[in-house]
Structures are given as structure tokens and as C-alpha cells.
Amino acid sequence: MAAIKQVLAPSHATGRLLLGVVGIAVAVAVISMVGEFRATQLASMAYLGVAAAGLTLLTGLNGQLSLGHGALMAIGAYTAALLLPDADAGTPLPVVLLAAVAVTVLVGAVVGVAAARLHGPYLAGATLALAVAVPGLAIYFGDTLGGEQGLSVSVPDVPVWLADAIFFLTGTDPSRGRYVSYVAWVVLVIVLVVLANLARSRTGRRWRAVRDDEIAAQLVGIDLGRNRVLAFVVSAACAGLGGALMALAVRLTAPSGFTLTLSLTLVAAIVLGGLGTLTGAVIGAALLTFLPQVVTQFGGGIGLDDVQSAQLAPFVYGLVMVLVVLLAPAGLVGSLLRWRMRRAGRRTSAVLDGPPPSVPSGSDSSDSSDSEPSDDSPTSTQPTPRGAHS
Amino acid sequence: MSTTATSAPLFGMHGVTVTFGGLTALADVDLDVEPGQVLGVIGPNGAGKTTLFNVACGFTRPDAGAITWRGEDVGRLRPHRLASLGIARTLQGLGLFDGMTVLDNVVAGADRWARSGFWSDLLALPRSTRDERDLRERAMAALSELGIAEHAARYPAAMPYGLRKRVALARALVAEPDLLMLDEPASGLSEEEMAELGELIAGLRSRMSVMLVEHHIDLVMSVCDQLVVLDFGRVIARGRPEEVRDDPAVLDAYLGVEVDTDSHPAPDAVTHLGEGPR
Ligand SMILES: Nc1ncnc2c1ncn2[C@@H]1O[C@H](COP(=O)(O)OP(=O)(O)O)[C@@H](O)[C@H]1O
Ligand SMILES: [Mg+2]
């Protein structure tokens, strides 16, 4: 049977690895060809993408909403800034990035343990508090963390071997900005491959099970708390990595860069792209990076002055959000997947079960908020964030 | 029928008492499940059957009493530890993972057989890939056993209730438990499906013990080796089905309560799902 053959096929881990290698090659080629400004923009897209990819796993796969990932990015960024205070620091970038991951993993574990006990609005509230509090710390510890002014980040010299390789390929020496962009994209691709591995593995399946039905998940042997904390930590590590890349790209780490807006931007990115899909996270990051500029240019094109064009961006941005939520509630990628799934479902059910099923989706008992199974509790039809596959 | 009166019971509940506020849901309940036995738990609505299951699974902590597994006190039971002990349970409200395919739902049930950990998953090491293939094969076998292998790639929310119930059963069976706890497995099934279920449960006897909470007396009478009858949280009768059937205390408990013998409830799956989530 075709269905059995398809589902028994070996997992495509090798395929993902190859795709990753191709992805890195394409990214490097593109970054070498575009102008300096575009290269910087691509770097922003990459660091937003890294953080959004981690967040979409947490929210889409494990059902935990975090409004505080901007704060975790700040922790990664400040770690990077402290390791790269001036040109003499000479900390190799891999060390900087790993240190940022290590610190955010620690913080993420603490926050994750608290988060694992909270549900829905309480979790949103707690992570929101984190988003608000962390930038405040930078001001409170102004002596070390630079206060309002923040810390400047000194990007190390481009390694000689890399400069030579780039010169060999493109005939130009890479600037520091471009160098950061290369690094950011290599990191993004690695993060995507690794997270896709996780999402398709047993670990990812456990996270989904926890999201879909807590009681049933426990009965198949899944420790809710442990898996929630693990998901939070993985997601925090990505945020920290994204933050460190942001510090490198912006070359400054200041509280004003990590306001609540950043956290909300990340949520917007994953919702726009489609919750729980890594492709969606990348598309969301791209939209957030490029949309404002495209719109501003468009505004200039239709004869608006600079100020008006600049004001157009948030307006269009809001409009896109509203349209996506209304027309494609599962996000861009999510809606596409859902549409394909529905088509496939209709085909099989028409053949096998006669009339279409009468059970409306979402009306069953999976209620992620009750902790005690009881015969008599009312059935809630609270929607859980439902992701598809990455 | 198994004759294992001499060997230790597989699972036991001793002196279990549960109160909710002033209400006594279970009062000093004792029961044993022997290896290879199908034990039915019956009683009118509100008698405490689901509460009994919830205590057995660690969801509800009893005020008093002990639970034993293979003759040893398990102490404070945590629900996610059951699977590794060898206990599986289906839920009255199914509790399928709606965001996952049927196959993934059942693979999730086979979790106890997996050996790979987080790091090998993260790096997609061969160990994880092998594990995954093994789990999928187990899951496909369970789906085939229940005759729903062709639905593997579908999502449960879009399937008819009867099929969804089978998915839930496959998810429990794939764990190859030593004790399977079924909470109202026949509710919402057609006459024909119920007969199949009866045969299936009878056939499980050679592989595991079964604890069955069920309203359909016909089914209970035909598949159970032993019955425990609860009323207001107390065991009012126990014994072989034919003994229990004629027990005056049992007749008394059911007096005035409609005993659902052969007519199956409203076929509308939606009303069924709504009436009791677990
Ligand atoms: N979580 C709870 N809180 C308070 N009362 C409960 C709870 N769960 C069950 N009960 C009560 O305990 C009694 C037994 O319920 P239950 O075990 O669900 O019965 P059954 O499954 O036999 O119909 C009922 O009176 C019910 O209302
Ligand atoms: Mg019940």
C-alpha cells in the first residue's frame, strides 16, 4: 500500500543535511552579490529568523506562548557585547556565540521551570514581565552594562582564510558587515536543520503530544514538566543566539533595542509565517525585515513625502497582520499545509468512509487547561495553538 | 479464563478511600487484577468508576489506601510513570492528539520502547533514525491489528467517532502493556463495532490483563472473568458475572436506574463527546 510505504520511509535526516549545505552555499553567494545595505538587512533577517525559529517550536509545537523572547535575545546580546568590548578583545566568534547560548540556556532553564507550571494568560503575563524587566536590569547595572547608552560591540577581524576564500570567489575583500551577515546565515541554516531534526524526532512528537492533550500525554509516559522545560530551554538557546547575532549586526547593545516591541515582533513573525513551521518563521522574519522598506519605497513611488512614506509602513504592516489573521489564521505556510491536508483528507475519506465525517474538528475533549481528568467536568473547546510540520 | 489464584495479583488496590469535600467517591475499595484476567468494574452513574481509574493512574491522590503492582506497594504514583511500569489506559473522551496524524498518535503510544535521547534527536543520529523506524513499525502493526492501517496518514479530528476510538485503542495497545485500563470503550459504538470490540478484548487475555469500566451490561457479561460492582463508592458485590447478575444488592443498586442493555446511545458522535470528557 502506498500509504504504508510512504510512512515507513526512512526519515530524511540526510536530505535535511544536504539541503542545509545547499542553503549555506546559496546564502553566501547571495550575500556576496548584493550591496552593503542589503547584506546588513539580510543579517537582520537571519537573527530574527534564528530567534523566531526557536519561538515557533515553543509556541507551535509545545503550545507555550512566550512574550518574553526579546528579553532572552537581550541576554544573548549582552553576553556577546561583554565578550567583545574593543578591538583587542579578540574573542573568536564561535566562542562568543556559544557563550551567549550557554548563558541563555541557564536563564531559560530557570524561566522554563516557572513557565512549565503556568498556563495560557499566566504564562503570557510572566514572560511579559520578563520582557519588561530585563532591559531595566541593563540600566540598573549601568556600570557593567552601559546603562541607556548600552555597550558597543567590536566585531573581530574577518579571519584570513575566510577573507582569502571570499576574495577568491568574488574578487573583493569582505567588509565586517558582510562577514557578520555570512556568520548569521550559516548560524540560521544550522539552527533550522537542527530544529527540523528535533521537530521530526521523538522529542518533537512528545512536545506536540503535550500541546494537544496533557492527560493523554502523561498516560503514554511523557513527563509534562520535563518536556516543557526542555522546549523552553531549546527555544531560549535560539533566542540567545539570535541576540548575539543581533549585537554583532547592530554593533551596539542597548536597552532601547530590546523593548517589548522586539518580543511582540517575534510573535508577529511566527504568527504571520504560520505557527509551528520553521519555514513560516523564516518567511515571517523576511516580511518583518523587508516589508517596511518596500512599503516606504512604494509610498515614495506614489508621490508621498518621506514622513508620510515612513508612516505608511506600520499601517501596511498592521493591515497585513489583520489580513493574515482573517484570511489565513494558520499563517501563510500553515494555511498552505492545512489546505493540502484537507484535500488529502477529503480524498481518502470519500473513498473509505462514505459521507464526510460529522465530527467538527476541535470539538473533542483535548483541553490543555484541565489537570485532573474527571468524568463530569464540562468539555471545553478552547483552541490550542496548532502547528503543522516544519 | 485464567486460574491463577495461587500467584500474586498483577495489580491491586487496597482500602482506597477518596473524598471530594463532603462527598465520598470511593470508600475502602479493595480489588485485585490477576494476570490474564479481564476485570469489569460496573455500577450506576456517579458510583465512582472513573475516580477509581484516576486513583489507579495517579491523577487523583486517595485519602487512604495503597496500590500494588506485582505485589509491591508503588507508593505515590505519578501518571507518566505508568507506561514504563506496563500500564496503559484509554480515556473516556479519547484524548487523541489532534495536531498529529493517526500514525504519530500511535507512535506516541509506543514511546516506552524508544531508547534514543534528546541529543541524538537533535543531531538526527542513526540511533534516532533506527529507533523511529522501529516505533513506526510497531505502530503500523497496532493499526493493522485494529484494521485501520489505511488511515495512518490522516488526522483524527476529521475521522468518524468509531475510527477515532480505534486509534485511541491502538495507541494504548502499541505500548504492549501488562495491564490495559479501558474506560467505557463501547460508548458510541454501533452494534457491530461493539461485537468486534468484545472479541478483541477477549483475545487480549493471552497478552495482558484488562480492567474494564463499561455501561453495556451485555458486553461486560460476555467478556469479563470477574466483576466488581460499585455503588456510592462502595463495593457492593464481586464475583463471576453470572453470580453478580443475580445478586439482590446489585439489582437493588440498579433499581430505578436505566440499565443500558442492548440499545446503544445516540449515534451522534458529538453529543457523546460532549457528555463526559474522560
Ligand atoms: N474532581 C471531582 N471533584 C468533586 N467531585 C467529584 C470529582 N470527580 C468525581 N466526583 C464525584 O464523585 C462521584 C463519583 O464520580 P465518578 O467516579 O466520575 O463516577 P462514575 O465514573 O462511576 O460515573 C460523583 O458523585 C462525582 O460527582
Ligand atoms: Mg465514568
Side-chain angles (χ1 to χ4, degrees):
Chain A
M1 257 180 284
I4 295 180
K5 218 165 155 185
Q6 188 193 338
V7 288
L8 281 181
S11 77
H12 306 298
T14 332
R16 284 196 290 278
L17 207 59
L18 283 177
L19 202 65
V21 172
V22 172
I24 288 178
V26 170
V28 168
V30 170
I31 295 166
S32 326
M33 281 186 293
V34 298
E36 196 72 24
F37 176 65
R38 281 269 179 261
T40 315
Q41 274 191 319
L42 283 171
S44 326
M45 178 187 159
Y47 70 66
L48 277 181
V50 169
L55 184 59
T56 208
L57 236 59
L58 180 71
T59 305
L61 249 55
N62 197 41
Q64 292 183 267
L65 175 63
S66 167
L67 298 178
H69 264 47
L72 295 169
M73 283 183 81
I75 289 165
Y78 273 95
T79 308
L82 289 172
L83 290 172
L84 295 171
D86 46 52
D88 308 329
T91 324
L93 279 196
V95 174
V96 172
L97 297 177
L98 287 178
V101 168
V103 175
T104 26
V105 158
L106 286 179
V107 176
V110 174
V111 178
V113 168
R117 295 168 181 279
L118 300 173
H119 276 112
Y122 302 102
L123 176 58
T127 50
L128 187 72
L130 186 74
V132 174
V134 167
L137 284 180
I139 294 169
Y140 187 78
F141 296 104
D143 291 345
T144 347
L145 300 177
E148 293 283 6
Q149 267 66 51
L151 299 171
S152 66
V153 179
S154 166
V155 178
D157 289 333
V158 185
V160 179
W161 63 268
L162 186 68
D164 287 349
I166 299 289
F167 186 82
F168 177 74
L169 290 172
T170 67
T172 51
D173 274 321
S175 66
R176 265 175 218 215
R178 232 178 263 270
Y179 170 46
V180 169
S181 199
Y182 290 132
V183 172
W185 273 85
V186 170
V187 170
L188 173 63
V189 171
I190 292 174
V191 163
L192 290 176
V193 168
V194 161
L195 293 187
N197 285 344
L198 260 193
R200 280 152 196 257
S201 71
R202 174 163 87 118
T203 304
R205 191 170 42 242
R206 291 174 148 212
W207 292 356
R208 270 174 243 225
V210 170
R211 168 201 69 191
D212 283 353
D213 195 300
E214 294 181 359
I215 302 295
Q218 291 179 78
L219 287 173
V220 299
I222 298 171
D223 185 337
L224 298 181
R226 215 178 140 142
N227 278 276
R228 287 216 174 95
V229 173
L230 186 61
F232 204 96
V233 166
V234 168
S235 168
C238 294
L241 205 49
L245 292 171
M246 179 174 169
L248 294 172
V250 181
R251 299 196 206 174
L252 176 76
T253 296
S256 59
F258 301 97
T259 55
L260 183 57
T261 317
L262 178 63
S263 296
L264 298 181
T265 301
L266 289 175
V267 175
I270 62 171
V271 171
L272 278 175
L275 217 47
T277 69
L278 293 173
T279 335
V282 176
I283 293 176
L287 278 180
L288 292 177
T289 312
F290 294 106
L291 196 65
Q293 199 217 352
V294 170
V295 171
T296 309
Q297 273 174 0
F298 172 77
I302 59 168
L304 298 178
D305 64 41
D306 285 354
V307 178
Q308 287 168 325
S309 310
Q311 281 167 347
L312 195 60
F315 171 73
V316 171
Y317 180 56
L319 196 69
V320 168
M321 276 298 270
V322 170
L323 284 179
V324 166
V325 169
L326 286 180
L327 302 177
L332 298 175
V333 175
S335 296
L336 198 70
L337 284 173
R338 196 167 280 192
W339 176 75
R340 265 180 26 195
M341 183 173 119
R342 207 173 296 142
R343 262 186 32 163
R346 200 172 295 145
R347 243 188 351 257
T348 19
S349 71
V351 178
L352 299 164
D353 321 312
S358 60
V359 185
S361 78
S363 74
D364 85 340
S365 61
S366 55
D367 174 359
S368 58
S369 71
D370 73 359
S371 54
E372 293 278 281
S374 139
D375 224 1
D376 301 301
S377 70
T379 310
S380 141
T381 53
Q382 185 183 43
T384 44
R386 200 141 284 171
H389 320 244
S390 358
Chain B
M1 192 186 286
S2 58
T3 48
T4 44
T6 48
S7 68
L10 182 67
F11 178 80
M13 299 176 83
H14 307 288
V16 169
T17 299
V18 173
T19 53
F20 294 115
L23 181 119
T24 305
L26 290 176
D28 198 22
V29 171
D30 283 291
L31 63 80
D32 283 324
V33 186
E34 309 292 338
Q37 184 185 55
V38 178
L39 176 76
V41 179
I42 62 170
N45 253 331
K49 304 180 296 294
T50 297
T51 304
L52 186 80
F53 266 22
N54 284 344
V55 170
C57 294
F59 286 116
T60 299
R61 209 155 6 141
D63 301 316
I67 294 170
T68 59
W69 178 247
R70 299 185 194 286
E72 281 176 33
D73 193 326
V74 294
R76 170 138 160 59
L77 209 56
R78 305 245 280 133
H80 71 264
R81 306 281 312 139
L82 290 175
S84 57
L85 288 178
I87 301 176
R89 170 182 171 183
T90 62
L91 295 163
Q92 207 172 338
L94 302 192
L96 292 177
F97 306 126
D98 276 341
M100 294 159 51
T101 62
V102 166
L103 180 68
D104 271 339
N105 266 273
V106 180
V107 173
D111 207 66
R112 69 178 285 217
W113 302 114
R115 293 286 161 266
S116 71
F118 172 76
W119 291 105
S120 72
D121 281 355
L122 188 80
L123 302 173
L125 297 183
R127 188 166 2 132
S128 269
T129 316
R130 254 198 322 272
D131 238 22
E132 197 67 4
R133 202 176 305 134
D134 172 50
L135 296 193
R136 276 161 187 251
E137 274 160 20
R138 285 172 186 271
M140 282 311 296
L143 286 171
S144 299
E145 186 186 353
L146 292 171
I148 48 173
E150 71 267 35
H151 301 283
R154 291 178 71 186
Y155 284 78
M159 290 166 56
Y161 188 65
L163 287 183
R164 288 155 46 98
K165 279 209 105 140
R166 288 183 197 218
V167 176
L169 197 52
R171 185 175 66 187
L173 284 180
V174 76
E176 294 176 31
D178 298 311
L179 174 64
L180 175 65
M181 307 177 77
L182 300 171
D183 199 352
E184 311 244 355
S187 68
L189 295 188
S190 71
E191 208 62 25
E192 195 189 336
E193 287 172 321
M194 212 182 303
E196 282 180 38
L197 178 70
E199 277 175 39
L200 180 87
I201 295 174
L204 291 177
R205 221 178 250 132
S206 57
R207 289 149 59 188
M208 61 192 75
S209 303
V210 177
M211 229 171 130
L212 173 69
V213 161
E214 188 46 69
H215 273 316
H216 294 84
I217 296 298
D218 275 359
L219 180 69
V220 170
M221 290 293 165
S222 65
V223 303
C224 293
D225 302 313
Q226 282 283 315
L227 288 184
V228 168
V229 188
L230 286 178
D231 190 27
F232 292 113
R234 285 177 193 285
V235 177
I236 55 163
R238 65 174 86 227
R240 292 204 311 280
E242 55 279 16
E243 297 166 354
V244 166
R245 191 191 342 230
D246 303 326
D247 192 314
V250 176
L251 293 175
D252 200 38
Y254 275 102
L255 210 66
V257 181
E258 193 205 333
V259 183
D260 204 350
T261 46
D262 46 12
S263 69
H264 68 86
D268 186 358
V270 178
T271 61
H272 233 300
L273 286 172
E275 82 179 6
R278 298 298 167 189

